[in-house]
Amino acid sequence: MPYSFLSHLECSACSTRHDADVVQGLCTCDAPLLARYDLESATSAVSTSKIAERSPDLWRYHELLPVRDPGSVVTFGEGMTPLLPLSRLGGSVGIPRLLMKDEGMLPTGTFKARGAASGISRAKEMGVTAIAMPTNGNAGAAWSAYAARAGMRACIVMPEEAPDITKSECVATGADLYLVKGLINDAGVIVADAVAHEGWFDASTLKEPYRIEGKKTMGFEIVEQLGWRVPDVIVYPTGGGVGLIGIYKALLELQALGWISERLPRLVAVQATGCAPIVRAFELGDRVAEPWQGASTVAFGINVPRALGAPLVLDALYATGGIAVAVDDEELLSDQQLLARLEGCFICPEGAAAVSAIRRLRGAGWLSANDEVVVLNTGAGLKYPDTVTVDVPTLRPGERLPRTQEA
Ligand SMILES: *Cc1c(COP(=O)(O)O)cnc(C)c1O
Ligand SMILES: [Zn+2]
């Protein structure tokens, strides 16, 4: 039995077929390519019970991933993150069946590890030896780590204002790191030039087809963890949108395999009010998102003013009866604190934005008390220590706690 049932690549806009076994970037029409599988053969090769016997990482879905030879897999054991009930927070926002998929548990502390695992493994398999990418920090940290493990070079360009820890991670794992006085799109222009003139492989979001394949495993895992059924709603903090496009792609593949029924969860894309191009396009009923001017938010991973994948995100929202919402920084920081206090989960500001969105959508009646809602926490709060103010007393040895403190 083949390890992967990858059959070809298909353009997401013009449907042109492309060879999956040569290095590919965008389609000639400039749209992203999507990996396609021989799902009919896959159904007879693998079953949900077979998957259940495999190790708890994302490679348990290898028939539906692009890597052909298990020897090419570059892994830190990523995947199968916990799906945690949030009963206290759920009670406070009026969604008793609220679950959080905690991607902060992954290597490098964010869900970016999933895309790096599939992207780097497949690149290695295709003979790529040096990758370059623009990033808001977390993707660069993840790809740099996986590139090091693969013995590959990585050139990473990120905004000067990206989280410091992500710069340290890139330097520690040996990437060529460059900072730019600008936004992720400015980093993208620099990378495109380096790719054209220096021979790096372009690993930019959706410019190579395999990052999304790792990210789609979030969708497989949610469904498997619920006993091979879908929730009512999935809420996702959206920057470039690959995670959401990936989850949608996973759901369609599971349908084609006959492992889930017709009903799909409503997908929710969450952005920050300081950078909400997809929300604006959704509200206008458009399929294209105009670039956002003056983008700024503490939820740095979703500070993406211009996303190549926006049409695919919008398609997924329209097709599932979903919605796009924006929340402001003050709101998301307060929900980040609340979640940590009520549930003990110190999540990233992007994940907190998704929590704020749930509160809003419940308030507006878009979510009901009966809905089973899965929120993606895309990263660990540990990567954003500056989101917490530590203003506490320092005691001398032997000094007593102030009187007001009671155990
Ligand atoms: C990159 C990132 C996002 C946005 O993910 P996309 O798939 O690009 O939309 C959300 N949260 C965190 C922590 C991220 O690093
Ligand atoms: Zn095309």
Side-chain angles (χ1 to χ4, degrees):
M1 280 296 170
Y3 187 70
S4 168
F5 283 85
L6 178 66
S7 59
H8 63 283
L9 296 170
E10 184 182 60
C11 175
S12 59
C14 75
S15 300
T16 302
R17 221 182 142 98
H18 297 263
D19 186 351
D21 290 301
V22 297
V23 174
Q24 300 276 11
L26 294 174
C27 181
T28 44
C29 79
D30 278 342
L33 301 182
L34 298 176
R36 297 297 181 209
Y37 297 82
D38 177 359
L39 295 175
E40 218 159 291
S41 306
T43 9
S44 42
V46 67
S47 60
T48 55
S49 55
K50 226 182 222 176
I51 288 173
E53 292 165 10
R54 294 178 179 166
S55 64
D57 58 55
L58 62 79
W59 300 101
R60 65 204 274 109
Y61 309 109
H62 60 77
E63 284 90 352
L64 306 171
L65 290 172
V67 178
R68 296 208 190 272
D69 173 2
S72 305
V73 169
V74 180
T75 182
F76 293 104
E78 58 287 326
M80 270 296 159
T81 54
L83 187 62
L84 303 170
L86 299 183
S87 44
R88 276 196 211 96
L89 183 84
S92 93
V93 298
I95 310 269
R97 293 159 75 211
L98 178 60
L99 297 155
M100 180 175 82
K101 186 149 179 69
D102 192 3
E103 298 284 291
M105 307 298 277
L106 289 168
T108 72
T110 73
F111 83 105
K112 292 295 196 300
R114 293 183 189 268
S118 59
I120 288 283
S121 297
R122 184 66 175 148
K124 180 182 162 194
E125 182 160 81
M126 310 280 281
V128 170
T129 57
I131 62 105
M133 67 185 315
T135 172
N136 268 343
N138 289 329
W143 283 70
S144 177
Y146 281 84
R149 193 153 174 84
M152 231 182 253
R153 287 179 65 204
C155 171
I156 309 290
V157 187
M158 66 173 74
E160 205 176 20
E161 288 179 6
D164 283 333
I165 183 68
T166 63
K167 299 170 193 164
S168 305
E169 291 177 271
C170 291
V171 171
T173 50
D176 295 356
L177 175 66
Y178 298 90
L179 306 180
V180 59
K181 284 190 194 300
L183 298 177
I184 185 169
N185 300 82
D186 302 302
V189 173
I190 293 169
V191 167
D193 178 72
V195 166
H197 297 106
E198 317 280 344
W200 297 92
F201 172 66
D202 193 343
S204 305
T205 302
L206 287 171
K207 284 195 186 168
E208 67 77 46
Y210 300 117
R211 180 198 295 221
I212 180 175
E213 294 304 291
K215 290 189 174 184
K216 83 180 177 190
T217 58
M218 287 187 285
F220 291 160
E221 289 180 17
I222 290 169
V223 170
E224 183 177 359
Q225 287 170 316
L226 290 175
W228 298 99
R229 62 175 187 82
V230 300
D232 295 307
V233 178
I234 297 178
V235 184
Y236 185 81
T238 304
V242 193
L244 193 134
I245 301 164
I247 290 170
Y248 182 55
K249 184 172 191 281
L251 294 168
L252 296 181
E253 288 174 359
L254 293 176
Q255 269 187 339
L257 288 164
W259 293 358
I260 57 172
S261 64
E262 288 289 288
R263 190 180 70 92
L264 287 182
R266 286 127 70 203
L267 300 179
V268 179
V270 181
Q271 299 201 293
T273 46
C275 181
I278 289 173
V279 176
R280 184 172 58 192
F282 180 85
E283 285 169 356
L284 294 169
D286 281 350
R287 247 200 110 235
V288 284
E290 294 302 323
W292 191 269
Q293 302 300 323
S296 167
T297 166
V298 290
F300 208 72
I302 55 175
N303 198 29
V304 181
R306 178 201 297 263
L308 189 57
L312 299 177
V313 174
L314 289 158
D315 286 348
L317 302 183
Y318 297 132
T320 60
I323 196 169
V325 280
V327 300
D328 54 49
D329 282 4
E330 202 180 317
E331 204 177 350
L332 69 89
L333 287 172
S334 129
D335 275 319
Q336 183 197 30
Q337 271 195 23
L338 182 70
L339 184 60
R341 286 171 186 219
L342 287 184
E343 304 279 359
C345 306
F346 180 24
I347 68 172
C348 64
E350 297 83 355
V355 171
S356 298
I358 289 170
R359 176 192 303 289
R360 279 212 181 179
L361 290 172
R362 180 70 184 95
W366 194 88
L367 287 174
S368 83
N370 299 323
D371 281 329
E372 183 179 43
V373 178
V374 173
V375 58
L376 272 296
N377 172 41
T378 41
L382 294 179
K383 297 203 78 171
Y384 301 79
D386 297 344
T387 53
V388 180
T389 310
V390 179
D391 182 13
V392 300
T394 302
L395 308 179
R396 285 185 306 279
E399 194 178 342
R400 289 204 154 151
L401 296 187
R403 278 265 172 79
T404 53
Q405 301 295 317
E406 280 173 43

